[in-house]
Amino acid sequence: MTDIIEIKNLKKIYQEGETTTTALGGVTFNVRKGEFLAIMGPSGSGKSTLLHLLGLLDEPSSGSYRFNGKNISSYSQNELAALRNREVGFVFQSFNLLSRTSVLENVKLPLHYSKIPEPEWEERARRAIESVELGHRMDHHPSELSGGEKQRVAIARALVTDPEIIFADEPTGNLDSKSGKNVMSIIQRLNEKQGKTIILITHETATAEHAERIIHLTDGKIDSDRRVAKRLTTQDEYVK
């Protein structure tokens, strides 16, 4: 299977005055198209830094990063922004929804920055919302939703441009157990049924074991990279 991500000796170093902090100390791995990868590690291990680099939200200090076979260093800032909007979807722990905007309009938001023709926006957004079982909440505002519903809206928003890869940063971190299982069920279906590549950041072992593979970071370096022998499944646990 083709690799969507290839990184080699990727480093991120922050300089503040005379203080140098190495957030990522040189990591090397590939991610196949359609793979479900979890990245784990304690606070300060570099997992959020790695997410920002892989998601094209930040640039590495050194090392190489190839996305779909092309080195990202060859892209201009505008080209990177277009690539990020077209090929990448993000789901964050804090949902990042606009509070005074309906579910439908929240999900439409990435389309404003895309090349997708405006007449298609409404249908695309409705399909994405239906895919996370929230058609009955389309005209509601975030304040009227539960935490689990907010995260499902965030997933719909990530899907609306039909990206190739979804980055999920602690997607169950603000949710109770039942809502967390529902969210993981949706993410797993995106991988298994739609073939989306998923990169999940989590500190929870049970959440990580929904993935096919787990990379563990410590102090900005990979200390293990293993296949999951028996993946957890939430296929039969989803509750509307």
Side-chain angles (χ1 to χ4, degrees), residues 4-112:
I4 186 172
I5 285 175
E6 305 166 73
I7 63 171
K8 186 173 182 180
N9 200 27
L10 207 65
K11 296 182 180 180
K12 184 63 178 180
I13 299 170
Y14 295 99
Q15 185 82 37
E16 188 172 346
E18 297 182 359
T19 303
T20 299
T21 302
T22 300
L24 208 61
V27 297
T28 299
F29 64 88
N30 292 2
V31 181
R32 302 190 318 272
K33 288 186 178 182
E35 187 171 19
F36 190 160
L37 169 67
I39 298 173
M40 297 189 69
S43 178
S45 63
K47 58 186 186 296
S48 292
T49 298
L50 180 56
L51 172 77
H52 289 158
L53 295 177
L54 296 180
L56 308 173
L57 297 171
D58 198 1
E59 297 179 3
S61 301
S62 62
S64 68
Y65 176 12
R66 300 180 71 85
F67 187 96
N68 269 335
K70 187 173 179 180
N71 199 309
I72 64 162
S73 64
S74 66
Y75 287 93
S76 69
Q77 288 301 314
N78 286 341
E79 288 171 333
L80 279 175
L83 178 66
R84 187 167 58 242
N85 182 269
R86 184 177 66 250
E87 302 291 354
V88 177
F90 294 97
V91 180
F92 295 103
Q93 179 178 351
S94 56
F95 318 131
N96 292 349
L97 302 178
L98 300 179
S99 60
R100 297 183 180 181
T101 304
S102 71
V103 165
L104 182 62
E105 293 304 319
N106 265 285
V107 172
K108 277 185 186 179
L109 190 61
L111 298 170
H112 289 262

